[in-house]
Amino acid sequence: MKKIILTLLILSTNILANTFTTQNSVVKVFASISRPDYKYPYQTSKISKFTGSGAIIGDHRILTSAHVVSGARFIEIKKEDDAKRYIATVKYISHQSDLAILEVKDKDFFKDTHALKLSENIKTKDEVTVLGYPVGGNTISTTIGVISRIEYVSYVWSGSDLLAIQIDAAINSGNSGGAVVNAKNELVGIAMMKLGKTSNISYVVPAVIINTFLEDVKDGIVNGFHSGSVIVQEINNDSQKKLYGLEQRSGVIITYTGIDETLLKVDDILLEVDDKDIANNGTVKTKYGRVEFSMAFHVKQLSQSVKLKILRDKKELTLNYNLKKVAPLINKEFGKEPRYIIYGGLVFTPLTRNYLSSANSSSRGLHMLFYQKKKTVDYEEPVIITNTIFPNEVNRGYRLSSYILVKVNNKKIKDFQHLVSVLEDVTDEFTVFEFLEKRKVVLSTKEAKNSLTDIMNIYNLKSDRRLKWKSLK
């Protein structure tokens, strides 16, 4: 199986000679970003400098990629042919769609600039131009390409599946957030990511997703895109169709619903969404061709609903389905300092995708959790012990990896905050930790609590805990 690598477009090279007429609509973004270390959550975040691109749109707003400015402590922007840098701040950010809006306090910045108009009217084989500021030069760079596909992909920044435009323009890192325009100089998308180890396969956030984001923030709040807890399966086998009475119809079957789902049930067949037939492969007809039926959910706001026609027990039902945003059991955090608590020299933290990425862990238990565990009423957030131990007399003899915590003194741990409460209230002689990997750790409760001062002094720790998210925005 070939490994597919999608790369975010920060800091790379791309050189082209042309000067494009809308160069006064594109800016260079300079961001000083704080990137927390989830593997060592007690350490101070390091500051790194990145550059990207941005597109000027109406109402003195600058549109860019979320991954260009997420966690930014300081942002500057610069126009083409202008040596001055202007201070900018993040007004809104949608990690799901990898989009952000910057605002500039000094409105003189927008003098002699042109706000791009968005257009959702695209089709395959349309020619587009990408404008941005990749490394390899200081001036604006343009590349020309053709739209190859318009389909659902996994956005590498968030892991969310959303509509994207695939183009064959040779764009690279540094183009992130840059404008992708059509022959009329209309903004059809924002440069987002490229397919690694390939030649000229890149992806763009399309205007239809951008417009949904812009509509979302009109009330001053980023609510995000629909993200439910329903899993569906295609129905392509003749025996399947016969079993569910679909010989003359098409649709997909629901194979799983999470605890947050109250309307749909396992074995329901989704037949239509907003009066559009759902094919057996889960697609519907749109102006972009056949795309996943999820698009009907993703072009609406969370306050809205979609109309579903389903087959339940071979009877057709019509439902108004309210859109929602449900966090998965193992979530990815953005723009936050990680939570942790140190007890007896052991470090506990919530299991997030951030931790998995930073720790590169191959723990069998972590993978078991992915495939076997789901969010339940009494299990909302997995907690792990990290493979870092601050050696002390209280924890002598233990060699640990990243294990998933199940119980403390026979109490099932519901989430990270529950663990903190249990540790603060424990009065037993011993504190016994039980892990999914069939491991146990036993500490003297009195020694564990008394060791805190020594451990903090010896290892120069500023705190033994961070119990709430600290925003890096």
Side-chain angles (χ1 to χ4, degrees):
M1 180 182 292
K2 293 183 178 179
K3 186 176 182 180
I4 297 177
I5 302 174
L6 290 168
T7 308
L8 297 173
L9 307 176
I10 311 178
L11 295 177
S12 187
T13 62
N14 180 19
I15 304 172
L16 207 80
N18 303 28
T19 301
F20 197 72
T21 55
T22 54
Q23 66 179 24
N24 62 345
S25 303
V26 180
V27 304
K28 188 170 185 177
V29 180
F30 304 83
S32 298
I33 292 177
S34 177
R35 291 281 163 87
D37 190 339
Y38 276 76
K39 186 176 182 180
Y40 306 108
Y42 42 83
Q43 291 187 351
T44 303
S45 299
K46 297 179 180 179
I47 301 295
S48 301
K49 294 184 178 180
F50 296 95
T51 63
S53 306
I56 298 174
I57 59 174
D59 299 323
H60 290 166
R61 294 173 296 176
I62 297 171
L63 192 63
T64 188
S65 296
H67 69 263
V68 171
V69 295
S70 178
R73 299 298 182 96
F74 187 68
I75 302 171
E76 292 177 302
I77 56 174
K78 175 186 172 299
K79 297 182 289 187
E80 182 73 356
D81 298 326
D82 187 350
K84 183 178 178 179
R85 294 187 184 185
Y86 293 76
I87 296 175
T89 56
V90 176
K91 180 68 173 178
Y92 301 111
I93 189 165
S94 168
H95 296 287
Q96 273 181 294
S97 59
D98 198 1
L99 293 170
I101 294 175
L102 306 181
E103 63 177 0
V104 187
K105 185 176 182 179
D106 187 349
K107 301 308 178 187
D108 286 343
F109 171 82
F110 294 98
K111 184 179 179 181
D112 298 325
T113 63
H114 173 71
L116 292 171
K117 179 183 177 182
L118 280 105
S119 174
E120 298 181 7
N121 297 320
I122 54 169
K123 61 182 184 299
T124 55
K125 299 184 181 179
D126 279 355
E127 187 175 276
V128 294
T129 302
V130 182
L131 299 98
Y133 288 89
V135 296
N138 296 315
T139 58
I140 195 167
S141 171
T142 66
T143 54
I144 297 174
V146 172
I147 294 177
S148 308
R149 298 186 179 106
I150 306 170
E151 61 185 15
Y152 263 62
V153 301
S154 177
Y155 283 27
V156 69
W157 176 244
S158 64
S160 297
D161 290 338
L162 292 170
L163 192 70
I165 303 170
Q166 180 185 315
I167 61 176
D168 65 358
I171 64 176
N172 288 289
S173 302
N175 285 106
S176 281
V180 181
V181 299
N182 61 16
K184 297 179 181 180
N185 292 343
E186 296 170 325
L187 185 67
V188 298
I190 291 294
M192 171 177 52
M193 62 191 188
K194 67 176 181 177
L195 191 62
K197 297 183 180 180
T198 62
S199 177
N200 301 351
I201 298 181
S202 304
Y203 293 91
V204 175
V205 182
V208 64
I209 297 297
I210 296 171
N211 280 330
T212 306
F213 166 57
L214 295 178
E215 183 66 27
D216 177 19
V217 300
K218 282 184 176 180
D219 62 356
I221 301 172
V222 181
N223 295 304
F225 292 75
H226 172 81
S227 177
S229 58
V230 173
I231 297 175
V232 301
Q233 178 182 314
E234 299 177 1
I235 303 178
N236 293 312
N237 181 270
D238 289 339
S239 295
Q240 271 186 311
K241 295 177 183 178
K242 188 174 181 180
L243 173 64
Y244 297 112
L246 286 179
E247 294 95 330
Q248 306 300 322
R249 297 294 305 268
S250 63
V252 292
I253 184 171
I254 295 177
T255 57
Y256 172 81
T257 59
I259 61 170
D260 309 276
E261 184 54 56
T262 57
L263 191 62
L264 298 174
K265 300 179 180 180
V266 172
D267 287 336
D268 281 351
I269 309 294
L270 301 183
L271 303 172
E272 295 179 9
V273 56
D274 283 342
D275 298 319
K276 292 184 178 181
D277 291 334
I278 300 174
N280 290 324
N281 66 354
T283 63
V284 295
K285 285 184 179 180
T286 72
K287 60 184 178 181
Y288 305 119
R290 298 204 70 90
V291 300
E292 290 188 22
F293 75 90
S294 301
M295 181 177 170
F297 296 73
H298 294 148
V299 295
K300 291 187 175 183
Q301 303 301 313
L302 291 185
S303 59
Q304 298 177 313
S305 63
V306 295
K307 185 171 75 172
L308 293 177
K309 183 175 285 188
I310 70 170
L311 198 64
R312 179 177 294 168
D313 299 326
K314 297 188 178 181
K315 295 180 181 178
E316 283 193 10
L317 299 173
T318 299
L319 308 173
N320 285 321
Y321 186 84
N322 295 324
L323 304 187
K324 64 188 76 173
K325 188 178 179 183
V326 178
L329 180 62
I330 302 177
N331 205 3
K332 184 174 181 179
E333 298 177 350
F334 298 96
K336 299 172 181 176
E337 294 278 10
R339 295 163 290 158
Y340 71 92
I341 186 168
I342 298 172
Y343 184 86
L346 310 179
V347 183
F348 298 88
T349 188
L351 176 58
T352 60
R353 292 187 181 272
N354 311 68
Y355 179 83
L356 290 171
S357 177
S358 64
N360 225 355
S361 177
S362 59
S363 168
R364 183 171 63 91
L366 300 185
H367 289 279
M368 284 172 61
L369 188 65
F370 270 126
Y371 291 110
Q372 297 182 8
K373 283 283 187 181
K374 299 294 181 183
K375 187 185 291 188
T376 61
V377 176
D378 60 353
Y379 192 66
E380 295 185 351
E381 180 183 50
V383 179
I384 60 169
I385 184 172
T386 73
N387 54 14
T388 298
I389 295 180
F390 293 103
N392 184 271
E393 184 176 353
V394 68
N395 57 46
R396 288 179 64 194
Y398 288 117
R399 297 177 60 187
L400 301 173
S401 184
S402 299
Y403 297 143
I404 298 165
L405 183 63
V406 177
K407 295 179 182 179
V408 176
N409 286 8
N410 211 34
K411 295 179 180 178
K412 290 185 178 180
I413 300 303
K414 180 178 180 178
D415 54 28
F416 178 73
Q417 191 58 48
H418 182 218
L419 168 65
V420 174
S421 298
V422 170
L423 293 180
E424 288 180 342
D425 295 340
V426 64
T427 56
D428 299 325
E429 182 180 0
F430 299 103
T431 307
V432 181
F433 300 93
E434 298 181 54
F435 301 95
L436 185 65
E437 293 81 355
K438 309 304 179 186
R439 298 293 186 103
K440 280 189 178 184
V441 171
V442 181
L443 300 180
S444 163
T445 300
K446 182 178 180 180
E447 291 179 12
K449 294 187 175 184
N450 291 341
S451 67
L452 176 59
T453 301
D454 282 344
I455 289 174
M456 291 185 65
N457 289 335
I458 292 170
Y459 297 101
N460 196 28
L461 297 173
K462 293 182 178 180
S463 176
D464 69 321
R465 64 189 65 191
R466 184 184 297 116
L467 305 185
K468 295 182 179 180
W469 286 296
K470 180 181 178 182
S471 176
L472 296 176
K473 184 176 177 181

